[in-house]
Amino acid sequence: MTDSQVRPAGAARIWAGGLSVTTMLTLIAVMLPAPDVAARNMLGDAAWWYVARASGLVASLLLGVSVMGGLLLAVWLTQGRSRAWTQGLHEFVGTLAVVFTGIHLVSVLAADQLQVGPWQLLIPFTRPANPVAQGCGV
């Protein structure tokens, strides 16, 4: 492959970011109620709760992988070509972790069963029911 045929380094990240944003917007569009039909009738009462749980688990997994990649970069265990690969993976996974954390926060606010408001997202242990779980989440 010649120099003119090499893709830019950020092309994979742009594609991943575009796919993540498309997924998030599609999820929001599906969850919003239609003009005549409530979203709860189509997806059930617990749909946002399931989205909140799944996106929280994926976000925590991605955050852990990103932290491990950052630690590998910090202690110089990766040298040469593997360093560039590890740094690219670290940046990619970190971006996805932030996107899934945003999806988690939006879906936690939208879930009627959780009864979480904006204050509970920022201040730990303020939820009336099960404050320990909300505090650990914050």
Side-chain angles (χ1 to χ4, degrees):
M1 194 179 264
T2 65
D3 289 338
S4 63
Q5 294 175 337
V6 175
R7 287 191 288 175
R13 283 179 248 153
I14 291 171
W15 276 102
L19 288 173
S20 299
V21 168
T22 303
T23 302
M24 184 170 63
L25 292 176
T26 303
L27 180 66
I28 291 170
V30 166
M31 295 300 227
L32 288 176
D36 295 332
V37 180
R40 287 180 182 84
N41 293 340
M42 294 186 318
L43 299 171
D45 290 337
W48 281 111
W49 182 83
Y50 288 118
V51 171
R53 178 164 280 201
S55 62
L57 291 172
V58 171
S60 64
L61 176 72
L62 290 172
L63 285 168
V65 170
S66 179
V67 166
M68 292 306 293
L71 289 173
L72 282 174
L73 290 169
V75 296
W76 297 96
L77 290 177
T78 56
Q79 298 292 329
R81 291 171 39 188
S82 65
R83 180 167 178 81
W85 180 83
T86 307
Q87 184 171 356
L89 179 67
H90 169 67
E91 292 171 1
F92 172 74
V93 171
T95 304
L96 282 179
V98 170
V99 168
F100 274 95
T101 302
I103 293 171
H104 177 66
L105 292 175
V106 168
S107 59
V108 162
L109 280 174
D112 291 336
Q113 292 178 341
L114 297 177
Q115 299 173 348
V116 172
W119 286 111
Q120 283 84 20
L121 288 180
L122 300 174
I123 304 170
F125 306 107
T126 56
R127 182 174 165 214
N130 201 357
V132 175
Q134 178 259 336
C136 291
V138 171

